[in-house]
Amino acid sequence: MRLLLVEDDNHVAAALSAVLARHGFDVVHARSGEEALRELLPSDDVAPFGVVLLDLGLPDQDGFEVCGRIRKISSTPVIMVTARGGVRSRIHGLNLGADDYVVKPYDTGELLARIHAVSRRAAPEESTDAARDESAPAESTLRVGVVSIELPTRQVCVDGTPVALTRKEFDVLALLAQRPGVVFRREQIISEVWRTSWEGTGRTLEVHVASLRSKLRLPALIETVRGVGYRLVEPSRTA
């Protein structure tokens, strides 16, 4: 797999590139946001990148801005690498289109696991979504109170107002909405949405749930069942 490493520190990039190469990755190193964007432009000469590993501390522009610009030209999975461990920063990155994040200092094994996880789920997702659409019943809109979820178009509305969600945010919400009031175990959500059993994905799930609560402006819609998982609770009104 080709991997685009966006990192301005040459020493860090060289060490990480060596590790990734030993694990079978063809690493291309970009030292700035602009260089990364140029590398991501479509080309008939080389295979597309499987993953972008994006450091947020870049010399020419903030990594968040780079992520937003990447999403305008490419659907390649993006993993943010950041020292900003706060939930707000993580939610902001996911809202911009990042698929996952790793907080510094990180374990190399964790990083490799996250890279493999996002690459595994990126390729088959389109075919999975298509299969879902083809087999969708006549009633293909899920409704939970003021929230409507259109499965074929992947559109979510609250009181008739569209709400833009990322791919994984939609998948989590749609899964929970299939059985309102029923508790979905964390492991089950991670298995069905991320298609992995790797326990480290749990923190990513928490961030996606927090982002959903914020975007939908219905903080009580998704209830946390301590030690078990999450369930959808029908809201009585919009926030």
Side-chain angles (χ1 to χ4, degrees):
M1 183 204 307
R2 296 184 75 226
L3 182 146
L4 179 60
L5 173 60
V6 189
E7 169 63 65
D8 66 314
D9 188 317
N10 288 332
H11 294 291
V12 171
L16 184 54
S17 294
V19 172
L20 293 170
R22 287 199 298 272
H23 285 82
F25 292 96
D26 178 11
V27 182
V28 175
H29 177 206
R31 295 165 180 78
S32 68
E34 289 299 331
E35 186 177 347
L37 292 165
R38 287 196 297 270
E39 290 287 352
L40 284 166
L41 293 175
S43 173
D44 295 331
D45 300 327
V46 293
F49 289 102
V51 173
V52 177
L53 200 57
L54 174 64
D55 188 87
L56 295 185
L58 300 174
D60 58 339
Q61 54 193 297
D62 187 84
F64 286 128
E65 180 184 350
V66 176
C67 182
R69 295 178 65 186
I70 287 175
R71 274 296 160 259
K72 293 179 180 179
I73 64 172
S74 173
S75 60
T76 304
V78 175
I79 299 177
M80 286 185 168
V81 180
T82 174
R84 309 169 196 177
V87 172
R88 288 180 180 271
S89 293
R90 298 172 186 176
I91 290 175
H92 183 47
L94 292 170
N95 287 344
L96 289 171
D99 294 81
D100 206 344
Y101 60 85
V102 177
V103 178
K104 295 179 179 179
Y106 54 80
D107 178 80
T108 303
E110 176 187 358
L111 176 63
L112 289 168
R114 290 185 182 273
I115 291 172
H116 286 300
V118 299
S119 62
R120 279 198 307 269
R121 67 192 185 229
E125 184 151 35
E126 290 184 4
S127 59
T128 301
D129 289 342
R132 287 176 182 167
D133 292 348
E134 289 174 3
S135 60
E139 179 58 47
S140 56
T141 299
L142 303 176
R143 291 182 174 83
V144 183
V146 296
V147 180
S148 65
I149 305 164
E150 296 184 10
L151 300 180
T153 60
R154 298 177 68 85
Q155 184 178 60
V156 173
C157 294
V158 177
D159 266 344
T161 302
V163 179
L165 300 180
T166 66
R167 182 174 56 193
K168 291 304 178 188
E169 288 168 354
F170 179 91
D171 290 342
V172 170
L173 181 62
L175 176 64
L176 297 177
Q178 291 175 14
R179 300 168 68 190
V182 174
V183 178
F184 284 77
R185 291 178 295 104
R186 294 164 59 90
E187 296 83 356
Q188 179 183 358
I189 299 172
I190 290 169
S191 175
E192 295 197 28
V193 174
W194 276 268
R195 289 194 289 279
T196 179
S197 59
W198 184 59
E199 62 182 8
T201 312
R203 186 56 179 160
T204 300
L205 171 60
E206 292 177 6
V207 175
H208 278 73
V209 169
S211 181
L212 275 169
R213 288 168 173 158
S214 174
K215 285 185 174 182
L216 298 172
R217 301 183 65 187
L218 295 167
L221 175 67
I222 303 176
E223 179 182 5
T224 301
V225 180
R226 188 177 297 276
V228 182
Y230 300 94
R231 65 181 168 193
L232 221 57
V233 179
E234 182 170 328
S236 57
R237 60 183 179 84
T238 53

